[in-house]
Amino acid sequence: MYNFMFDQLFAAALRLKHALNTEEEFDFAGAALTAQTLFVGEGNLSFALCIAEKLDKLSRKTICATTFELSEDWLDITKTNARKLVRLGCKVMDGVDAQKIDIQFGFAFFDLVVFQFPNVGSR
């Protein structure tokens, strides 16, 4: 099983390397139309909401937006954005630690993973 998983990861890494070496621009919104998309470390969920609002109803169901903070610690804007995302058909998860993402998602497969820049407490 380990070798199979390693082979899949290696093949995905090679595809990514090839994609990054091409001259073509990456069409994020276009990719999100057909991809299982995971937003990691979304903060106030505004970026995921912005993308979800540009997609059709079927594509929105493929979005999972996560925050590190627990929902009881969310700011009002985060709660509002979460409600909007859920109404649009997206999945929203709180308390997701990017360092332990395998615990949250196990063997789930995502075509597009968006890691937001971490909050380094510099504001």
Side-chain angles (χ1 to χ4, degrees), residues 68-106:
F68 177 71
E69 296 80 20
L70 296 174
S71 58
E72 57 261 18
D73 297 327
W74 284 352
L75 300 173
D76 288 340
I77 187 67
T78 309
K79 292 175 185 176
T80 299
N81 290 343
R83 282 191 295 274
K84 288 178 182 178
L85 282 164
V86 170
R87 267 190 252 128
L88 289 171
C90 304
K91 183 175 181 179
V92 177
M93 296 177 64
D94 66 329
V96 176
D97 185 344
Q99 294 179 355
K100 300 174 185 170
I101 205 158
D102 58 326
I103 294 169
Q104 294 286 333
F105 294 100

Side-chain angles (χ1 to χ4, degrees), residues 56-72:
D56 60 47
K57 187 175 183 178
L58 186 61
S59 298
R60 292 174 183 153
K61 294 185 183 302
T62 67
I63 290 178
C64 179
T66 69
T67 66
F68 177 71
E69 296 80 20
L70 296 174
S71 58
E72 57 261 18

Side-chain angles (χ1 to χ4, degrees), residues 3-115:
N3 289 336
F4 176 73
M5 289 175 46
F6 178 80
D7 290 345
Q8 281 187 318
L9 287 172
F10 186 73
L14 286 177
R15 285 192 304 274
L16 177 61
K17 182 179 186 303
H18 174 71
L20 293 174
N21 287 336
T22 63
E23 296 290 324
E24 298 174 26
E25 289 187 25
F26 179 68
D27 178 15
F28 180 83
L33 281 171
T34 59
Q36 291 285 0
T37 305
L38 174 65
F39 292 88
V40 180
E42 247 300 272
N44 69 7
L45 300 168
S46 60
F47 184 69
L49 179 59
C50 179
I51 296 298
E53 289 175 333
K54 296 185 182 322
L55 299 176
D56 60 47
K57 187 175 183 178
L58 186 61
S59 298
R60 292 174 183 153
K61 294 185 183 302
T62 67
I63 290 178
C64 179
T66 69
T67 66
F68 177 71
E69 296 80 20
L70 296 174
S71 58
E72 57 261 18
D73 297 327
W74 284 352
L75 300 173
D76 288 340
I77 187 67
T78 309
K79 292 175 185 176
T80 299
N81 290 343
R83 282 191 295 274
K84 288 178 182 178
L85 282 164
V86 170
R87 267 190 252 128
L88 289 171
C90 304
K91 183 175 181 179
V92 177
M93 296 177 64
D94 66 329
V96 176
D97 185 344
Q99 294 179 355
K100 300 174 185 170
I101 205 158
D102 58 326
I103 294 169
Q104 294 286 333
F105 294 100
F107 291 104
F109 180 80
F110 294 94
D111 302 298
L112 190 59
V113 179
V114 180
F115 285 92

